[in-house]
Amino acid sequence: MPPSTMTKIMLALPPPMLQYAANLISFYFQHVRPHQAMVRKHVRRLILLVFLLNFKSLPGVFHAKMGLRIAAVQLYSIRHRQQFRIKPTDTSIVRERVWVDDLDLNFHFSNSSYGKNCDYARVKYVTSLLGPSVLPLHPMRRIAFALGGNQMWFRKEITLFQSYEIRTRLLTWNQKWFVIEHRMYTPASKGGKSNQTLCAIGISKFVLKYAGGSWKNKTIPFLDALEMVGHDVTELRALEARSENGNVVLWPKEQLEFKSFEGWTDRAAAVGNALDLCETMLLQE
């Protein structure tokens, strides 16, 4: 805008407003402009701090962390010359820490963050169990896996910067689905005054499909997939043969009950125990 026009606008202002504008301009030149360099420096530091506190939500970080866990499975396969890292009865463990972007409005681990971080546990368990045969873009890929449903129950909160671990194990399976369990624990206190705390339990069901060839997208029974990658499933076949309804439960019923989840809502009480839920999930198409 030409100066002459600006001058006309300023002169057209009422005297009080003109005085107010003059005071603002004077304040800027006396107090703000001399400190612009310092303000810019602190703003840059603030932006960097925000990025660091929310780095888990930055674009690509989720996939990078997932890729590192998949790469670890591949390196193990190459080093030990076997396709799988764990046996069907083993437990897979993922360790994480709560950051600012994991919090909800109550400033503790949000319900959506449980599911997001259980994704790491799910992928690590399935890839460790079936190896490179389920890795995307891998030349040895023969099996595709897909999540068919999941449930989560919360018992204790996990607070900011607190570390926790997710323990994942196989619970049950039938000819179409297999179900795994996630248990989230916070560590014991350093002084040994308290034991590990069970904070949540999650259950996920998966289906396995042929990844290519004329059988692409056809369902692979769980034990057949284990045999394809070299697992010895003799004992699991015996369990399957003794099952009455085709739903095989790997662990005794008393180990599956949520004994430490007393006093919960009616919905949780109606579920009863993990065995009943597993059978319900397995029957769902």
Side-chain angles (χ1 to χ4, degrees):
M1 184 179 297
S4 57
T5 306
M6 176 63 72
T7 303
K8 291 179 181 179
I9 293 176
M10 295 293 291
L11 293 175
L13 292 174
M17 188 175 294
L18 185 61
Q19 182 62 42
Y20 181 72
N23 291 338
L24 284 179
I25 294 172
S26 176
F27 179 83
Y28 171 78
F29 281 102
Q30 291 181 17
H31 301 285
V32 177
R33 189 167 183 177
H35 303 288
Q36 275 187 339
M38 184 181 66
V39 170
R40 290 196 189 99
K41 181 174 68 174
H42 287 300
V43 168
R44 286 195 294 266
R45 289 178 177 177
L46 179 61
I47 293 174
L48 178 61
L49 178 63
V50 170
F51 270 84
L52 290 177
L53 291 176
N54 296 273
F55 80 99
K56 290 174 64 176
S57 296
L58 294 177
V61 173
F62 175 83
H63 296 89
K65 293 181 67 175
M66 194 75 77
L68 288 175
R69 288 181 166 87
I70 293 175
V73 173
Q74 174 64 11
L75 292 174
Y76 181 91
S77 175
I78 295 173
R79 181 178 179 182
H80 296 273
R81 297 182 180 180
Q82 64 181 32
Q83 292 200 46
F84 55 87
R85 188 174 184 177
I86 61 174
K87 298 179 181 179
T89 54
D90 291 341
T91 298
S92 171
I93 298 177
V94 168
R95 294 179 175 87
E96 288 286 344
R97 187 177 297 274
V98 179
W99 287 90
V100 174
D101 49 353
D102 291 320
L103 302 180
D104 59 12
L105 294 178
N106 295 315
F107 295 98
H108 58 211
F109 207 51
S110 69
N111 59 344
S112 59
S113 294
Y114 282 93
K116 177 181 178 180
N117 287 276
C118 276
D119 266 340
Y120 298 130
R122 283 188 279 264
V123 169
K124 181 178 180 181
Y125 179 82
V126 175
T127 55
S128 297
L129 183 66
L130 299 175
S133 61
V134 295
L135 298 183
L137 306 178
H138 196 281
M140 294 178 58
R141 187 185 187 218
R142 294 178 291 169
I143 303 171
F145 65 96
L147 181 66
N150 67 288
Q151 294 274 359
M152 184 71 71
W153 294 265
F154 313 112
R155 183 170 184 263
K156 294 288 186 180
E157 68 173 1
I158 308 177
T159 56
L160 180 63
F161 300 133
Q162 193 170 15
S163 62
Y164 62 92
E165 66 179 31
I166 307 174
R167 303 175 188 175
T168 305
R169 65 175 182 173
L170 175 67
L171 283 186
T172 180
W173 74 89
N174 62 13
Q175 290 298 304
K176 181 175 183 180
W177 304 102
F178 72 97
V179 176
I180 60 177
E181 174 197 64
H182 313 288
R183 288 179 177 253
M184 303 186 71
Y185 290 87
T186 52
S189 61
K190 293 182 179 180
K193 297 181 180 179
S194 62
N195 297 322
Q196 287 186 330
T197 302
L198 176 63
C199 299
I201 289 182
I203 295 179
S204 304
K205 72 172 182 179
F206 283 91
V207 63
L208 300 173
K209 303 282 187 178
Y210 285 99
S214 58
W215 288 83
K216 184 175 182 179
N217 295 329
K218 298 293 184 181
T219 300
I220 310 174
F222 178 61
L223 295 188
D224 291 353
L226 294 180
E227 282 186 323
M228 288 171 61
V229 300
H231 285 286
D232 181 5
V233 296
T234 305
E235 295 182 2
L236 301 183
R237 293 268 185 211
L239 282 175
E240 191 174 67
R242 293 197 298 268
S243 64
E244 297 180 358
N245 54 6
N247 298 330
V248 187
V249 179
L250 186 60
W251 304 98
K253 182 176 180 179
E254 57 271 14
Q255 293 188 23
L256 298 180
E257 293 175 345
F258 295 155
K259 294 179 180 179
S260 57
F261 282 53
E262 67 276 2
W264 281 17
T265 62
D266 293 339
R267 179 171 178 263
V271 170
N273 58 58
L275 175 59
D276 295 335
L277 179 61
C278 287
E279 291 179 348
T280 302
M281 293 182 72
L282 288 170
L283 293 174
Q284 292 175 350
E285 292 298 328

